[in-house]
Amino acid sequence: MHASQGRSVGLGLALVSAFAFGGSGVAAKPLIEAGLDPLHVVWLRAAGATLVMLPVAWRHRALVRQRPALLAGFGLFAVAGVQACYFAAISRIPVGVALLVEYLGPALLLGWVRFVQRRPVSRAAAVGVVLAVGGLACVVEVWSGLGFDALGLLLAFGAACCQVSYFVLSDHGSDGENPADPIGVIAYGLLVGTAVLTLVARPWTMDWTLLAGQADMDGTVVPAGLLLAWVVLIATVVAYFTGVLAVRRLSPQVAGVVACLEAVVATVLAWVMLGEHLSAPQVVGGAAVLAGAFIAQTSTPKTASGVPVAGSAPDLGPAGEQGGVAGAGQGESELPAASRAT
């Protein structure tokens, strides 16, 4: 009974996390269109979340001495890199397209496992990657010569590459006798990311008066401050916390599959709230991307001895939680759960 209740709570938390993450682009894009530079929006998101997470960072201050390289890499790539590339991408291409391109991350991660770490991967995972790449070709309409802004697509691909570093660093953070606490890594990742973004974005050059003004959301006037509050509190702080708690209560497979809803949520919200309509081939392609991610993440390859092959590492939460559920080991996914950085 208690296990069933815990699973239900975990599923609810995972859904909240997926919806929270999926809404980040929809709230951020009107701010960018109102005049804020994409890097400034990223800085505001990271800095605001850092202020909220400062008590957590203080509680886990020992991490600075124990895992300095992990925190630096996580902040630079998994926080600053992926968010900067993603927000810059959505300033040039539709939110749904940018997020679907970013979902090449699991495919790139599979390539890392196979060709860099030289570990075998399952046939199902390879099929999932091929399906995802084929779906992506439909999303960007390659037959029409890439109908979207080339730089925007390149930036979205950069976000996918940073997503790979997110997974690799998360995996590194979960090893050893004393694995890094995932919430602590999130807090310091945001702190380091904010420091890096401060140097790059130069927020002192930002027009702060824009935050007191209005933003247009497909004809609806919304206070810019309200959108920023959503990006910071809901799409970052709430999203990360509920994601971590969800992974601790669900099996890796379920957490990964529910995480795929993030792309669906982002696309649907962008359609409804921003008027970013996708064509029928793009919708089909998006479904193929998600199906490919589903297949890749839920495959559980076994060797002849029944042991999972290398590359089927335990699922990781938003900052390195190693399948942190009671009963993890009921089967691990080939790839970590979907992106938690956007």
Side-chain angles (χ1 to χ4, degrees):
M1 181 67 176
H2 292 294
S4 177
Q5 289 179 342
R7 186 178 179 85
S8 298
V9 172
L11 183 58
L13 289 169
L15 289 171
V16 170
S17 181
F19 273 81
F21 276 117
S24 64
V26 174
K29 187 158 188 174
L31 292 174
I32 296 172
E33 293 177 340
L36 283 174
D37 186 273
L39 276 178
H40 289 159
V41 177
V42 175
W43 181 85
L44 287 168
R45 178 186 188 183
T50 297
L51 290 176
V52 176
M53 297 286 281
L54 277 179
V56 176
W58 176 255
R59 179 182 178 185
H60 296 282
R61 58 191 179 277
L63 282 175
V64 176
R65 175 176 49 83
Q66 297 170 350
R67 312 299 287 271
L70 171 65
L71 300 181
F74 194 87
L76 180 61
F77 296 106
V79 174
V82 71
Q83 292 189 37
C85 287
Y86 174 69
F87 278 8
I90 66 173
S91 70
R92 309 181 71 96
I93 61 177
V95 170
V97 173
L99 195 55
L100 288 168
V101 172
E102 188 181 334
Y103 261 71
L104 275 180
L108 296 175
L109 181 60
L110 194 67
W112 172 276
V113 170
R114 179 65 183 88
F115 298 108
V116 178
Q117 297 182 338
R118 297 185 180 280
R119 293 190 289 175
V121 297
S122 71
R123 182 176 300 176
V127 170
V129 168
V130 172
L131 184 60
V133 173
L136 182 62
C138 294
V139 171
V140 301
E141 297 181 324
V142 292
W143 55 83
S144 62
L146 293 179
F148 294 112
D149 182 274
L151 180 57
L153 292 174
L154 184 62
L155 288 166
F157 183 75
C161 293
C162 288
Q163 185 191 109
V164 174
S165 69
Y166 165 90
F167 289 137
V168 172
L169 290 171
S170 294
D171 185 41
H172 180 71
S174 65
D175 58 11
E177 295 182 358
N178 297 308
D181 185 280
I183 297 179
V185 174
I186 290 173
Y188 277 100
L190 287 167
L191 186 60
V192 172
T194 300
V196 172
L197 288 168
T198 299
L199 298 176
V200 176
R202 299 185 300 168
W204 51 86
T205 65
M206 179 172 51
D207 184 0
W208 292 86
T209 60
L210 292 173
L211 299 179
Q214 308 288 324
D216 179 76
M217 184 176 282
D218 194 30
T220 301
V221 177
V222 181
L226 181 62
L227 292 175
L228 179 61
W230 178 276
V231 169
V232 171
L233 298 176
I234 305 300
T236 306
V237 177
V238 171
Y240 272 116
F241 267 100
T242 53
V244 169
L245 296 175
V247 172
R248 290 179 174 179
R249 288 167 171 78
L250 295 174
S251 68
Q253 296 96 323
V254 175
V257 171
V258 175
C260 289
L261 288 175
E262 179 185 337
V264 178
V265 170
T267 304
V268 171
L269 287 179
W271 193 324
V272 173
M273 302 181 71
L274 300 180
E276 294 183 348
H277 300 284
L278 301 181
S279 66
Q282 288 174 316
V283 173
V284 173
V289 171
L290 297 179
F294 171 86
I295 293 172
Q297 291 179 120
T298 57
S299 61
T300 311
K302 299 288 183 179
T303 63
S305 62
V307 179
V309 302
S312 57
D315 182 69
L316 302 170
E321 179 66 14
Q322 184 177 356
V325 284
Q330 299 171 356
E332 283 96 8
S333 59
E334 174 76 22
L335 299 174
S339 172
R340 283 286 187 261
T342 49

